[in-house]
Amino acid sequence: MNTVNDVWDSVMSTLSTELTSTSINTWFSDCRPVEILDTRLVLYTPTEFKRNIITQRFAGTITAVLSELFSCSFELLVLAEDELDDYEQTCEKDDSLPEVAGYTFNKFIVGKSNEYAHAAAVAVAENPGGVNFNPLFIYGNSGLGKTHLLLSIGQKIHETNTSAKLAYVKGDDFLNQLVQSLRENTQEAFRNKYRYVDLLLVDDIQFIAGKNAVQEEFFHTFNNLYEAGKQIVITSDRPPLEMVQLEDRLRSRFEGGLMADIHPPDIETRMAIIRSKAAQLGMVLPDDVVEYIAETIKSNIRQIEGVVK
């Protein structure tokens, strides 16, 4: 039993032993499951009146069946009339990109150290799923702009095609979510979250190296998306060859697309970044201050931003 429809069939089977066929037809004939999200079952019924009856009379029985199936406490959410559209729109927004201001291409300062990675990211955003750019693997030390480019791709694709389904996840979060799905027997919902999107953005993939179950799951997720012509973008603090605990089959897939590295910015790029960050905060810094910061902090853009703030 994996899908939400399978779960709902089990619930209805139990309800059928406790209710008359008339009651089942009256209250549940046009009721349908929407999704299982963590430990919550979401249902839809056309009218507010039916929603109230189901919530008041049958919620206890339904959640008891779910608790028995999954061995954990469950809650029930019943949507009615226009609530389903609002719910789906909210879920699409919540599941796509993190709310991080400023992570767009026009706020990314391009220099010799990152121009190749930037060009590759723009190419992917303009033609997602292209065979020559899939996957796009961006690597470099922490604080050099990998996440900025990753999210810029997502923002650009979303602007171009608002119906595109996006998923963003960090490597360690992918691990934690998989563990939770195994514990709660919701693996199908977990897989559906990442295997049926148009764009998968994975930040800090190095955290899955050495974890066999996670690598197995990501391998199948990767293949499912790649074979469907969907775009995959990955960032890491090192190239696949240097991930000694990464499975060979994943390494070969990561290296089979376009790989782009980012280096620490030169002093001209650092000065441009400082001026840009200051401008975003409504400031114009004196040239000597800009030069001092650029000469002092040489390897981490995130640290430069912190100093400007």
Side-chain angles (χ1 to χ4, degrees):
M1 177 174 52
N2 289 316
T3 70
V4 66
N5 289 320
D6 291 334
V7 172
W8 183 239
D9 287 344
S10 294
V11 172
M12 290 305 301
S13 177
T14 300
L15 287 176
S16 296
T17 65
E18 301 181 9
L19 303 174
T20 64
S21 58
T22 300
S23 294
I24 292 291
N25 290 332
T26 299
W27 305 118
F28 296 100
S29 60
D30 50 8
C31 181
R32 65 179 177 85
V34 176
E35 69 174 356
I36 291 179
L37 185 63
D38 294 329
T39 56
R40 180 176 65 183
L41 173 65
V42 182
L43 300 177
Y44 169 75
T45 192
T47 68
E48 185 176 350
F49 178 71
K50 285 188 177 181
R51 187 268 309 279
N52 293 339
I53 293 296
I54 292 172
T55 301
Q56 294 168 8
R57 296 185 185 178
F58 307 115
T61 302
I62 293 172
T63 55
V65 174
L66 293 169
S67 298
E68 180 68 20
L69 288 172
F70 293 99
S71 300
C72 63
S73 298
F74 253 77
E75 62 176 311
L76 179 68
L77 173 63
V78 185
L79 306 173
E81 299 177 340
D82 296 332
E83 294 173 341
L84 181 59
D85 289 338
D86 294 338
Y87 177 84
E88 290 177 341
Q89 290 175 6
T90 300
C91 288
E92 289 175 2
K93 180 179 180 181
D94 289 344
D95 288 342
S96 56
L97 296 173
E99 294 292 331
V100 183
Y103 282 0
T104 57
F105 283 126
N106 63 357
K107 292 185 178 180
F108 186 86
I109 305 301
V110 182
K112 293 180 180 179
S113 61
N114 59 28
E115 59 185 356
Y116 181 73
H118 174 265
V122 171
V124 165
E126 293 177 346
N127 183 30
V131 64
N132 294 327
F133 306 104
N134 202 16
L136 172 60
F137 193 100
I138 304 173
Y139 65 93
N141 291 335
S142 178
L144 296 182
K146 301 186 301 295
T147 299
H148 191 143
L149 286 178
L150 186 78
L151 295 178
S152 295
I153 293 171
Q155 296 284 4
K156 181 64 176 180
I157 291 176
H158 180 68
E159 290 173 5
T160 304
N161 181 11
T162 56
S163 64
K165 295 182 179 179
L166 316 181
Y168 167 86
V169 66
K170 295 182 179 180
D172 52 347
D173 288 338
F174 189 87
L175 164 63
N176 294 334
Q177 290 173 25
L178 174 61
V179 171
Q180 182 179 4
S181 74
L182 292 170
R183 185 174 62 247
E184 299 176 355
N185 195 26
T186 56
Q187 298 99 307
E188 187 69 18
F190 170 78
R191 289 166 182 158
N192 290 342
K193 181 177 181 180
Y194 295 113
R195 294 189 185 184
Y196 300 99
V197 297
D198 300 301
L199 172 67
L200 176 61
L201 305 169
V202 186
D203 211 0
D204 290 325
I205 193 69
Q206 69 270 9
F207 287 112
I208 76 168
K211 301 171 177 66
N212 294 335
V214 184
Q215 292 187 89
E216 175 77 18
E217 184 65 34
F218 190 79
F219 173 79
H220 293 296
T221 297
F222 185 103
N223 282 350
N224 195 82
L225 292 170
Y226 184 83
E227 292 171 1
K230 307 303 182 181
Q231 182 66 52
I232 305 163
V233 184
I234 299 169
T235 73
S236 173
D237 65 355
R238 71 202 75 169
L241 187 62
E242 295 181 10
M243 295 185 203
V244 294
Q245 292 183 303
L246 187 68
E247 292 182 356
D248 288 340
R249 58 180 180 173
L250 276 177
R251 181 180 293 108
S252 66
R253 279 159 176 76
F254 293 168
E255 294 177 339
L258 181 64
M259 297 181 60
D261 60 344
I262 298 181
H263 300 285
D266 56 28
I267 188 167
E268 290 82 6
T269 304
R270 296 199 299 273
M271 291 173 66
I273 291 170
I274 293 165
R275 290 192 174 99
S276 174
K277 298 298 183 183
Q280 292 173 32
L281 296 171
M283 298 186 301
V284 177
L285 295 179
D287 290 343
D288 59 339
V289 174
V290 172
E291 292 175 7
Y292 178 77
I293 297 174
E295 290 172 353
T296 304
I297 304 174
K298 301 179 180 180
S299 61
N300 193 306
I301 296 172
R302 195 172 295 124
Q303 188 179 3
I304 289 175
E305 183 175 5
V307 169
V308 173
K309 287 181 178 179

